[in-house]
Amino acid sequence: MSGPRPGPEDVRRLSLALPETKEVLAWGMPTFRVAGKMFVTMPDDESSFAVRCPRLEREELIKAEPEKFWVPPHEAGSAWVRARLAALEDMVELRDILADSWQQAAPARLLEHFTPPAPGA
């Protein structure tokens, strides 16, 4: 581990640091959106978060790190994966996961000059 473990406020802070991101309450939980497209959700207990992940990559990710990533049965047909905050290595890993999901939702005009913000941003 190369730093403090990320928590729910770090998910919020790093998500909102991404260009044109807005927090929207939906289904009783915070969601984060770029150009109206959701890229992160934070379920009630705040021990995990969900991000966009292509389904083919998702299966490999879960197989490689099942202690970190999983999909609840009701989300099996989606292109989302959940990540356990307590299993993340550090803020850099959290930032990278969030930035990857943001890039999948962001319009091309935002992707042209995108550089992920520093974890301390």
Side-chain angles (χ1 to χ4, degrees):
M1 184 167 79
S2 52
R5 290 223 186 252
E9 282 307 312
D10 298 309
V11 173
R12 175 174 278 111
R13 179 177 53 79
L14 290 173
S15 293
L16 290 171
L18 294 163
E20 297 188 28
T21 294
K22 298 202 178 340
E23 183 173 347
V24 177
L25 193 64
W27 308 288
M29 70 178 124
T31 67
F32 299 89
R33 300 165 190 238
V34 57
K37 290 178 74 176
M38 198 164 35
F39 70 95
V40 178
T41 67
M42 178 76 75
D44 290 346
D45 70 1
E46 296 187 334
S47 66
S48 68
F49 59 97
V51 291
R52 290 175 173 265
C53 183
R55 290 211 307 207
L56 293 175
E57 291 177 27
R58 181 177 77 179
E59 298 311 315
E60 291 176 20
L61 192 62
I62 292 168
K63 199 176 289 187
E65 298 183 273
E67 73 290 347
K68 192 177 292 184
F69 299 104
W70 91 102
V71 176
H74 70 279
E75 295 175 4
S78 74
W80 289 72
V81 67
R82 294 224 186 158
R84 291 176 180 87
L85 279 167
L88 298 182
E89 291 178 27
D90 55 23
M91 296 295 180
V92 173
E93 184 177 28
L94 173 60
R95 178 207 59 199
D96 291 348
I97 291 169
L98 296 172
D100 182 66
S101 185
W102 179 90
Q103 289 175 60
Q104 292 176 60
R109 68 179 172 75
L110 292 178
L111 295 174
E112 287 179 36
H113 305 289
F114 175 69
T115 303

